[in-house]
Amino acid sequence: MILKNKSFKENYLIEKLFLKNDLDDDELIWLIDNISEEAKKYLFSLSRKTADSVYSNRVYLRALIEFTNYCKRECMYCGINHYNKNVKRYRISKEEILLTCSKASDLGFKTFVLQGGEDPYFKDEIMVDIISSIKKSNPNCAITISVGERSFESYKLMKMAGADRYLLRHETMNKDLYKLLHKFSNLESRIECLKNLKKLKFQTGAGFMVGLLNYKTCDYVRDLRFLKTLKPEMVGVGPFISHKDTFLRNFKNGDISTTLLMLSLIRLLLPKVLLPATTAVSTIDPNGRKRALDVGCNVIMPNVTPCIQRKEYNLYDNKKITGAESAFEIEKIKKELESYGYICDMSRGDSKMTI
Ligand code: SF4
C-alpha cells in the first residue's frame, strides 16, 4: 500500500504499532524521522494506554543502593570509569548494605537494587554472601543486581543465592561505536552475558543511551530491534549526559524529546516491560519524571545509598542526588506521583512477561 499523505501515514504506523506491537524496520525509521508534534501526542497517549492496560496507573518503587564506585572498566562516557583519578572511591561493607536494606524495608520497599561498577573486590563468594544474607532477612523481597559483565558461572551462583533480576544495558548495538567507547571490550561478550542471564531465568534488563555520539535513526532502530528480539523484562533508557572528567566531556547531551520518543516506542514494542523513568531523564528536564511516566514508564528507583557515598557515584555531571532515605522523602514521592495521577506501588512488582 502506498501512503502519500504524511499525517495519514504517521497515524497508520502509530496505530499499527499499537495494535501489533511491532513495525518493520523501515517503518520505524520513517516514523522516527518524520513524526510531527501532533502525531507524537497521539503516539504517547497510546503508549500510556498500553502501560495502563498491563500495569494500570501503578508505579513501582525500587530501593537503589550504589554499593561501590570502583570499576575496572574503561567506558568512555562514564564518570566513574577506571581512568578517572578525580573520583573518591568507596565500597559499602556487607553490614552497611544489610543495614541500608533493613532501613529501606522499614520504609516499605520490597525490591533492593544493588548497583556498582565492575569491582574485582566483590568476588562471587562475597556477592553470594551479601545476596543470601539480604534474602534471609527479607525472604519476600526481590533482589536486583547490576554489577556488569561476569561469567555464566558467576551469574548462576548469584541466582542460586537468591538474586531475582539483573540489569545490564547493552549500551549500543552499533558495533563500531561500541568498540570506540569500550576499548578493551566488545559487543559480542555483552550480548553473550545478556543471553546467559536470560538462560538462567533472571528477570533481565537491557537498554541504551539516547543521543550518544551522533547517533542516527538506524542506530536507534537497531537498538529497538535488539530489544524486541531479546525480550528483556526490564529496559533502562535515558539520555547520554556528559561528564567533565571523560573523553566525551564536550559532546552534546541527549535531548528529552528523543528520549520520550524512544520510551514510548519501547512501551509499544514490549507492552509488558518494566520501564523506569530514570534519574538521567529528571536531570535533563525538571519535569522529566512526569513526562516519562506519561509516555508509559512505570518504575522509579529512589536512591537509598547512605548520603556520604551517594555524591561520589557520579556517572555523569549534575546527577540528581536526592533520595528516599527517610519516610518523609517517601511521602513526598507518593504525593508527587499522586499529583500526576499515578499510584505508588511498593510491592515486588515483578515483570508480567514472566507470569
Ligand atoms: S558504565 Fe559501568 S562498567 Fe562502565 S565504567 Fe561506568 S560503572 Fe564501570
Side-chain angles (χ1 to χ4, degrees):
M1 189 182 356
I2 298 168
L3 300 167
K4 287 202 175 125
N5 180 301
K6 178 176 177 277
S7 74
F8 181 74
K9 184 168 177 179
E10 55 191 359
N11 285 340
Y12 165 78
L13 291 178
I14 290 168
E15 276 161 23
K16 182 178 170 190
L17 178 58
F18 174 63
L19 293 172
K20 295 191 182 300
N21 302 121
D22 206 358
L23 285 180
D24 298 335
D25 286 359
D26 56 349
E27 292 175 325
L28 277 170
I29 288 176
W30 189 90
L31 192 61
I32 293 169
D33 282 343
N34 292 282
I35 191 163
S36 63
E37 286 309 310
E38 204 46 42
K40 257 189 209 169
K41 282 188 204 154
Y42 185 41
L43 177 80
F44 293 169
S45 73
L46 293 184
S47 55
R48 186 59 243 173
K49 190 173 170 180
T50 301
D52 285 342
S53 71
V54 182
Y55 292 102
S56 74
N57 62 341
R58 311 191 88 77
V59 177
Y60 297 118
L61 259 61
R62 324 292 203 198
L64 174 67
I65 306 166
E66 292 163 336
F67 69 103
T68 171
N69 70 352
Y70 282 86
C71 189
K72 64 178 185 194
R73 288 187 40 137
E74 71 290 356
C75 311
M76 277 175 70
Y77 43 80
C78 178
I80 60 168
N81 78 59
H82 175 70
Y83 296 100
N84 186 1
K85 299 296 171 222
N86 297 328
V87 182
K88 206 166 142 203
R89 304 281 170 177
Y90 71 84
R91 285 187 186 105
I92 299 182
S93 66
K94 174 191 160 190
E95 290 65 34
E96 216 174 336
I97 293 173
L98 289 176
L99 186 65
T100 306
C101 288
S102 153
K103 284 185 189 164
S105 170
D106 290 346
L107 292 171
F109 285 100
K110 298 280 184 306
T111 290
F112 310 120
V113 182
L114 264 59
Q115 188 160 63
E118 291 196 14
D119 180 354
Y121 170 83
F122 287 96
K123 296 183 185 27
D124 293 345
E125 52 272 32
I126 299 183
M127 288 307 297
V128 164
D129 184 28
I130 293 171
I131 293 164
S132 49
S133 304
I134 296 175
K135 223 38 192 229
K136 207 168 153 196
S137 338
N138 307 274
N140 298 321
C141 75
I143 301 178
T144 305
I145 303 292
S146 179
V147 291
E149 292 185 28
R150 296 171 81 114
S151 67
F152 182 86
E153 199 50 36
S154 174
Y155 289 150
K156 191 173 169 188
L157 289 170
M158 288 194 273
K159 184 79 172 69
M160 282 161 57
D164 304 272
R165 307 175 185 146
Y166 202 101
L167 303 175
L168 183 76
R169 282 185 176 186
H170 66 274
E171 308 295 3
T172 172
M173 285 304 285
N174 179 327
K175 217 168 159 181
D176 297 333
L177 183 59
Y178 192 94
K179 195 71 208 160
L180 184 76
L181 297 170
H182 312 89
K183 218 160 134 193
F184 306 114
S185 324
N186 60 67
L187 183 56
E188 288 76 15
S189 56
R190 194 81 175 172
I191 305 302
E192 188 61 30
C193 285
L194 281 163
K195 286 185 179 160
N196 286 341
L197 291 164
K198 288 289 279 184
K199 232 181 263 170
L200 287 162
K201 306 260 182 285
F202 272 101
Q203 291 180 42
T204 304
F208 61 94
M209 264 180 287
V210 172
L212 194 58
L213 283 192
N214 314 319
Y215 230 50
K216 297 187 179 58
T217 308
C218 60
D219 294 315
Y220 288 119
V221 171
R222 244 190 299 216
D223 286 327
L224 294 174
R225 183 57 53 207
F226 171 69
L227 292 173
K228 181 73 185 166
T229 312
L230 180 74
K231 296 187 180 54
E233 285 76 13
M234 306 169 283
V235 171
V237 163
F240 159 72
I241 303 178
S242 65
H243 187 285
K244 62 179 173 25
D245 296 326
T246 65
F247 287 109
L248 304 191
R249 66 179 74 86
N250 295 322
F251 280 84
K252 217 171 93 207
N253 291 342
D255 64 85
I256 185 75
S257 165
T258 315
T259 306
L260 294 175
L261 179 59
M262 289 303 131
L263 290 169
S264 167
L265 292 173
I266 291 163
R267 169 59 68 205
L268 287 163
L269 288 165
L270 297 164
K272 293 182 177 178
V273 82
L274 290 161
L275 194 59
T278 59
T279 313
V281 175
S282 306
T283 301
I284 57 161
D285 181 338
N287 210 17
R289 180 184 278 169
K290 177 183 186 312
R291 297 181 76 185
L293 294 171
D294 287 349
V295 304
C297 286
N298 67 331
V299 174
I300 57 173
M301 302 206 289
N303 201 325
V304 296
T305 312
C307 284
I308 307 168
Q309 286 95 357
R310 196 181 301 164
K311 66 179 191 330
E312 307 301 339
Y313 203 91
N314 265 331
L315 304 180
Y316 48 79
D317 285 341
N318 304 317
K319 183 183 161 196
K320 290 217 176 240
I321 56 166
T322 49
E325 73 289 354
S326 70
F328 171 70
E329 289 293 338
I330 281 293
E331 282 314 308
K332 247 173 74 181
I333 292 171
K334 279 186 187 165
K335 286 214 174 80
E336 183 194 337
L337 293 178
E338 276 165 18
S339 74
Y340 303 155
Y342 299 102
I343 295 172
C344 166
D345 188 326
M346 295 184 79
S347 68
R348 279 177 54 114
D350 285 301
S351 159
K352 303 219 169 171
M353 281 174 100
T354 48
I355 294 171

